[in-house]
Amino acid sequence: MNWTLEVVIVPVSDVDRAKEFYADRLGFVVDHDTVINDEARIVQLTPPGSGCSVVIGRGVVPDMPPGSLKGLQLVVPDLQKARAELVERGVEVSEIQVVGANPRPVPDPLDNVGFVFFADPDGNAWAVQQISSRA
């Protein structure tokens, strides 16, 4: 049996600002933006190529302090290209960092150990890791 992670709730203070950041700055696809009533709204966004989406909203999502989610991680095949795209879109992103060492030879020295880091407007912290191929 497969168990797939499909949705992660991201706590935000301003749904419109967060939607703009994730859609326009990060390039996530807006799957839906549903207003249930004046107090309830849910927005689901999916990173290109991902099987897991993020959900932001109010009134129908768990009540968590905005910015309290740390350690979310995206994986890309080309970290330099991904970082350049984030910079071009206006995201404040770290320089490329190498974290650790590969235990075996890999096609690109950044594979598995290359990361960049950024945060959304509320401070939810994200990492982007390079993995160009999997064993």
Side-chain angles (χ1 to χ4, degrees):
M1 172 184 325
N2 290 335
W3 294 52
T4 61
L5 180 63
E6 299 283 334
V7 173
V8 173
I9 306 295
V10 177
V12 300
S13 60
D14 182 320
V15 176
D16 289 321
R17 180 181 70 175
K19 179 183 174 186
E20 182 274 331
F21 178 80
Y22 286 100
D24 297 343
R25 297 259 178 100
L26 297 183
F28 287 21
V29 175
V30 178
D31 300 321
H32 60 84
D33 183 344
T34 305
V35 176
I36 299 164
N37 57 44
D38 289 343
E39 288 82 38
R41 177 179 176 196
I42 190 165
V43 180
Q44 181 173 313
L45 305 107
T46 303
S50 179
C52 185
S53 303
V54 298
V55 165
I56 57 175
R58 67 177 182 274
V60 292
V61 296
D63 187 23
M64 298 183 288
S68 63
L69 197 54
K70 310 295 183 196
L72 294 166
Q73 187 165 312
L74 299 166
V75 174
V76 296
D78 185 332
L79 191 59
Q80 292 176 3
K81 184 176 177 181
R83 184 182 184 283
E85 185 177 311
L86 290 172
V87 168
E88 182 179 301
R89 290 174 171 264
V91 176
E92 290 185 31
V93 61
S94 74
E95 295 294 327
I96 292 175
Q97 299 176 28
V98 174
V99 180
N102 276 301
R104 63 190 187 307
V106 292
D108 184 303
L110 291 177
D111 280 351
N112 307 314
V113 296
F115 291 84
V116 295
F117 303 92
F118 67 89
D120 74 9
D122 283 295
N124 294 299
W126 290 81
V128 182
Q129 178 187 24
Q130 177 173 310
I131 299 177
S132 64
S133 64
R134 296 190 187 261

